[in-house]
Amino acid sequence: MSIELKAGSPPASVPFYNDPKVRSIVYQVALCLIVAGLVYGAASNAVENLQRARIASGFGFWDNIAGFDISQTLISYSNTSTYGRAFWVGLLNTLLVAGLGIIFATILGFIVGIARLSKNWLVNKAATAYVEIIRNLPLLLQLLFWYNAVLKALPDLRESVKIPGGIFLNNRGLFLPAPVTQAGFGFVEIVFFLGIVGSIVFHIWARKRQEKTGQQAPVFLTSLGLIIGLPLIVYLIAGMPLSFNFPQAGRFNIAGGLEVVPEFAALLFGLSIYTAAFIAEVVRAGILAVSHGQTEAAYSLGMKPGPTLRLIVVPQAMRVIIPPLTSQYLNLTKNSSLAVAIGYPDLVQVFTGTVLNQTGQAVEVVAITMAVYLTISLTTSFLMNIYNSRMKLVER
Amino acid sequence: MTMSEGDLAVAQINFVRKTTLEPQPPPASMTGAVGWLRENLFSTPFNIALTILIALFLAWIIPDMLRFLVFDAVWSGVDREACLITAQRPVVGACWPFAFERLPYFIYGSYPISERWRVDVFFVILAVAIVWLLWLNAPRRDLGVVYSFIVTPIASYILLSGWPLIGLPKIDTVLWGGVLVTIVVSAVGIVFSLPIGILLALGRQSKMPAIKLFSVMFIEFVRGVPLVTVLFMASVMLPLFVPENISPDKLLRALIGIAMFASAYMAEVVRAGLAAIPKGQYEGAQAVGLGYWQMMRLIVLPQALKITIPNIVNTYIGLFKDTTLVFIVGIFDLLRTIEVSRIDPKWAAPSTSPTGYVVAAIFYLICCYGMSRYAQATEKRLRKADRR
């Protein structure tokens, strides 16, 4: 401690190559040069290779006629549509399977996660076996299994499995009754949305009143009445303006109804079952993370088990559950790209598969596909960061 | 509550036992098998309902599975005739002769039969490396690290792809397949992802803006897209980015894709470990005059990696399962050899496909379950150090 330091000037004994500032600049400049060199080299090679292969570059292909069919489309599409249209079809199919998969996986995952904490030995062991087996098998194997070994092995059209309620199941897919709305159903929809708005308003009002007066209002029952009861009444008054178009089994085909192609069914089934196993673990960890003292304290205040769970345990568990749950949702969305292996026309199958093969424009097509997934991921993680910073435990 | 005079009098009149009762065994319904059943299966009406429901489900599914896999299964035969549904045998279970006949293909792919001993030697070298690394009481584990991370990769490369100078003919990677490819792809991912992941994690924590930016961009980009698209990028875009004369081999492209993908995930796992190290550890290391790399190598990384081991193994399990995706860019991993075999007309029978998938499931289940058990054991062992 006896060394004298002149303020402001570094010790003269340090050679310039050991000066952290100089070194950090050298490192960074070197890295930038290397990256720039790689990018330049790759780009010039790509230009040369593309010219030699006579592959056009740029996004001009977007408006060209695609000329191929897609087995499942949510928006109008024919083989005279453009590549751009095919992109939207694929993207919507991806979002459809991901959205439904998230709903099913969440429901199944919460059930299994809670079952793993059950004191019932059989329930507990069955849930554990489910999680261990599903988590340790590759998703692709599971998808191929559902598609090739289960759905494709179903009996053919003539021997369709008939499920009560007018549902047919055969190797061409699942045939469900399709809902058909008639005049007047619009009122039911309007009332339904009004009910949602109304219950949100009621919830806010009830919370304010509780904060002011301490009186609790029956929020759940009121919301139930507003969202389900009221539309039901309107539905009955309007003369039940909803019928079902039941699939009719003909000799060679099934007419009418809602057809679910086996590719979609297999992908949805596989993704939901696989992701549910991971969600189950997230839920279990979240509930276990709430210390037992919290429950005991609630009981000692005289709270009943129901409100304890709803007001004490679940809110604290959700803080732990939601971030990993979101990343599971993201994984499910990204995993839906495995559709390419079983031929479900999702974004990757339509765009990176067929369009890439037809146009040969690898750089543009792969870049667009990646940009879509990147947008979904970065938006989600941005929203999660906001949520996390709002929900962060503030200690002291 | 205080007792009144009258109550006290009553209490004195009443008989009060003076001797202690012999302890009685609990009622028969609370002990043994019956007690266990009451406690664990039939405690409340809801639990009784659940138990019955699950028991019915198991009673429905387990006999069916056993029938398919064992009792109705076909055990011998030379082609599809053995596994077909006939009038004499209307129910046919798993087609095991198919699996037995195709087993070499599942393991080696199209690797030339006369050279398959090289793959066997590779498996042995790898097995020695794994045991040496994972068995805690193994002698000279420091040598084991050198053996596993330097000797094994070089020896494996020479063995598998060949070196004509020492009499090993070259084997094109197009011929590789099955378990061999699955293991090569996952081993490359495992070996490369850890060091690159550590560098990326350190880069992400770095105070140098350019290095931090590149690390963050790489990690977020790769983690934000599905592995399928990374593999597509590696397989269709990589050849465009290099001069025409050095078009990389198909397997190599997939390996680059997998290594990139695994590194980005590993970087986040390591970052979580680095973040868990108290700041005092960094400050302490700096206070004794250690430089950046010394601090990281001697103080921070050993602690960070120790607490991340379970997560590293979990990432490896995910990686091992994800290697099946190379299937999509046309590489013959185990799953693809099974796909090719199950549609082979020679074995076309109703139960061929499920049989093939059962074989794959058994392989992946053994490998992944083994890894996750090891991770749990490690976690338990390391937690011992933190117990007071």
Side-chain angles (χ1 to χ4, degrees):
Chain A
M1 296 301 111
S2 59
I3 304 165
E4 266 180 56
L5 282 179
K6 281 177 202 159
S9 67
S13 61
V14 178
F16 75 94
Y17 53 82
N18 260 350
D19 182 354
K21 260 185 203 151
V22 176
R23 235 178 4 190
S24 108
I25 290 170
V26 170
Y27 281 156
Q28 297 188 57
V29 169
L31 181 72
C32 289
L33 284 179
I34 292 171
V35 171
L38 282 176
V39 169
Y40 176 76
S44 57
N45 279 325
V47 169
E48 202 175 302
N49 287 330
L50 288 172
Q51 270 172 356
R52 196 180 304 111
R54 295 180 191 284
I55 293 172
S57 55
F59 293 91
F61 72 96
W62 194 256
D63 293 322
N64 293 353
I65 302 297
F68 60 88
D69 283 310
I70 299 178
S71 64
Q72 181 190 312
T73 59
L74 293 175
I75 50 176
S76 68
Y77 174 87
S78 70
N79 59 10
T80 53
S81 301
T82 61
Y83 286 128
R85 192 79 179 167
F87 166 82
W88 289 112
V89 170
L91 178 58
L92 285 178
N93 280 344
T94 289
L95 293 178
L96 175 73
V97 81
L100 286 177
I102 283 173
I103 294 172
F104 290 138
T106 310
I107 296 170
L108 187 60
F110 270 79
I111 293 174
V112 176
I114 292 166
R116 280 203 76 177
L117 294 170
S118 167
K119 286 201 184 70
N120 185 324
W121 183 85
L122 202 56
V123 172
N124 186 324
K125 288 291 174 256
T128 309
Y130 169 85
V131 170
E132 288 295 347
I133 291 173
I134 297 294
R135 276 205 320 167
N136 285 322
L137 289 178
L139 175 57
L140 188 59
L141 174 63
Q142 297 185 32
L143 290 179
L144 292 172
F145 174 77
W146 291 121
Y147 184 61
N148 291 320
V150 177
L151 290 177
K152 281 286 161 188
L154 284 170
D156 64 8
L157 199 96
R158 282 188 208 175
E159 284 139 25
S160 295
V161 183
K162 293 184 187 67
I163 300 167
I167 301 170
F168 293 91
L169 187 65
N170 56 44
N171 59 5
R172 281 213 241 152
L174 182 68
F175 295 82
L176 302 165
V180 180
T181 58
Q182 280 140 15
F185 194 73
F187 290 116
V188 181
E189 288 173 13
I190 294 170
V191 171
F192 176 71
F193 284 112
L194 284 180
I196 292 178
V197 174
S199 49
I200 293 172
V201 172
F202 183 75
H203 179 78
I204 295 170
W205 173 81
R207 171 172 282 187
K208 277 207 177 126
R209 193 179 74 145
Q210 191 182 353
E211 277 168 7
K212 237 184 231 159
T213 64
Q215 285 170 313
Q216 290 182 348
V219 177
F220 180 71
L221 282 179
T222 316
S223 307
L224 208 67
L226 281 173
I227 295 175
I228 295 176
L230 219 53
L232 203 67
I233 293 168
V234 175
Y235 175 72
L236 292 173
I237 291 172
M240 297 195 264
L242 181 74
S243 63
F244 286 95
N245 177 5
F246 286 96
Q248 301 293 325
R251 191 178 292 260
F252 301 110
N253 209 343
I254 288 185
L258 189 72
E259 187 188 346
V260 181
V261 292
E263 290 81 17
F264 178 78
L267 185 62
L268 182 59
F269 214 58
L271 278 177
S272 309
I273 288 181
Y274 184 73
T275 315
F278 289 86
I279 291 180
E281 285 299 275
V282 168
V283 169
R284 187 174 73 111
I287 293 176
L288 285 179
V290 180
S291 85
H292 200 58
Q294 297 285 324
T295 321
E296 290 165 349
Y299 288 161
S300 70
L301 285 175
M303 286 176 81
K304 293 197 179 89
T308 305
L309 202 64
R310 193 158 47 82
L311 298 171
I312 308 285
V313 178
V314 170
Q316 296 187 68
M318 280 324 252
R319 201 195 295 278
V320 185
I321 288 174
I322 284 182
L325 188 65
T326 327
S327 69
Q328 288 308 327
Y329 288 167
L330 263 184
N331 280 347
L332 187 146
T333 311
K334 287 191 283 177
N335 282 337
S336 71
S337 60
L338 291 186
V340 72
I342 56 170
Y344 170 72
D346 83 321
L347 178 65
V348 172
Q349 204 265 341
V350 169
F351 210 61
T352 323
T354 316
V355 174
L356 175 62
N357 276 338
Q358 289 194 3
T359 62
Q361 291 191 279
V363 179
E364 291 85 353
V365 167
V366 173
I368 292 173
T369 315
M370 286 186 149
V372 169
Y373 285 103
L374 213 53
T375 313
I376 297 175
S377 298
L378 294 182
T379 315
T380 313
S381 63
F382 175 70
L383 294 176
M384 269 323 292
N385 283 339
I386 295 178
Y387 173 86
N388 273 342
S389 57
R390 280 186 57 178
M391 287 293 154
K392 204 161 55 185
L393 265 186
V394 184
E395 292 187 29
R396 282 186 289 273
Chain B
M1 281 275 186
T2 51
M3 283 191 182
S4 66
E5 294 276 310
D7 286 338
L8 276 177
V10 170
Q12 274 157 6
I13 292 164
N14 277 353
F15 173 77
V16 176
R17 181 181 284 279
K18 299 277 177 8
T19 53
T20 313
L21 268 179
E22 279 298 304
Q24 297 285 310
S29 64
M30 301 304 282
T31 56
V34 180
W36 185 89
L37 284 177
R38 276 179 68 144
E39 163 106 37
N40 290 301
L41 294 179
F42 304 106
S43 54
T44 62
F46 179 65
N47 262 335
I48 293 173
L50 275 181
T51 304
I52 292 172
L53 214 65
I54 301 234
L56 282 178
F57 177 74
L58 292 178
W60 171 58
I61 202 148
I62 290 180
D64 268 6
M65 272 173 64
L66 283 179
R67 261 200 293 279
F68 179 83
L69 293 175
V70 184
F71 301 121
D72 290 340
V74 179
W75 293 93
S76 61
V78 285
D79 59 9
R80 65 193 289 262
E81 295 294 326
C83 302
L84 284 182
I85 293 174
T86 55
Q88 294 90 34
R89 200 181 46 203
V91 186
V92 177
C95 186
W96 293 119
F98 155 73
F100 298 146
E101 197 216 59
R102 285 308 168 103
L103 202 60
Y105 183 57
F106 293 160
I107 296 175
Y108 306 102
S110 312
Y111 211 86
I113 293 174
S114 59
E115 302 294 325
R116 283 185 181 169
W117 61 270
R118 282 154 61 173
V119 181
D120 295 333
V121 175
F122 161 70
F123 286 149
V124 171
I125 291 178
L126 197 67
V128 170
I130 292 172
V131 171
W132 207 344
L133 274 187
L134 299 190
W135 182 34
L136 295 174
N137 298 325
R140 294 307 302 269
R141 293 183 77 213
D142 50 340
L143 275 185
V145 172
V146 176
Y147 171 82
S148 306
F149 288 96
I150 296 170
V151 178
T152 306
I154 296 172
S156 307
Y157 178 75
I158 292 173
L159 255 179
L160 291 177
S161 73
W163 191 9
L165 271 182
I166 55 168
L168 294 174
K170 275 225 175 289
I171 311 283
D172 199 80
T173 54
V174 177
L175 298 174
W176 300 17
V179 172
L180 167 64
V181 163
T182 295
I183 288 186
V184 166
V185 174
S186 38
V188 167
I190 284 172
V191 169
F192 279 90
S193 66
L194 193 57
I196 301 179
I198 290 174
L199 283 181
L200 283 170
L202 291 178
R204 196 173 182 153
Q205 280 209 329
S206 164
K207 288 194 183 71
M208 296 180 243
I211 288 176
K212 185 174 178 173
L213 183 72
F214 281 122
S215 306
V216 170
M217 267 167 50
F218 180 84
I219 294 170
E220 292 296 330
F221 175 78
V222 175
R223 275 165 42 94
V225 297
L227 176 56
V228 176
T229 62
V230 174
L231 287 173
F232 267 117
M233 187 174 88
S235 83
V236 298
M237 277 164 76
L238 207 62
L240 291 177
F241 290 152
V242 294
E244 202 202 12
N245 49 359
I246 47 163
S247 177
D249 170 289
K250 204 167 161 192
L251 181 64
L252 181 64
R253 288 182 232 162
L255 289 179
I256 293 173
I258 290 264
M260 268 173 63
F261 192 76
S263 306
Y265 276 80
M266 193 56 77
E268 286 300 274
V269 168
V270 174
R271 182 169 78 128
L274 287 176
I277 304 299
K279 225 175 158 211
Q281 297 289 327
Y282 291 86
E283 291 165 349
Q286 281 165 348
V288 292
L290 295 183
Y292 178 79
W293 290 108
Q294 284 173 315
M295 169 176 83
M296 284 301 166
R297 192 167 52 86
L298 298 172
I299 309 287
V300 178
L301 278 177
Q303 299 184 61
L305 291 182
K306 183 190 120 179
I307 55 175
T308 2
I309 285 178
N311 282 331
I312 291 175
V313 178
N314 281 337
T315 314
Y316 283 163
I317 296 174
L319 173 67
F320 189 76
K321 288 188 296 171
D322 280 346
T323 57
T324 50
L325 267 59
V326 296
F327 165 95
I328 288 169
V329 289
I331 287 165
F332 281 77
D333 77 320
L334 172 62
L335 209 49
R336 190 154 185 117
T337 57
I338 283 173
E339 281 295 286
V340 169
S341 307
R342 77 173 183 86
I343 52 175
D344 180 355
K346 186 185 173 193
W347 286 103
S351 64
T352 307
S353 304
T355 310
Y357 293 133
V358 166
V359 171
I362 292 172
F363 171 76
Y364 283 105
L365 210 53
I366 290 175
C367 294
C368 297
Y369 193 69
M371 280 196 263
S372 78
R373 283 278 115 176
Y374 185 80
Q376 281 169 19
T378 313
E379 204 171 351
K380 221 182 208 165
R381 181 167 58 83
L382 293 179
R383 217 183 297 140
K384 234 181 265 170
D386 295 327
R387 265 208 314 251
R388 295 285 181 275

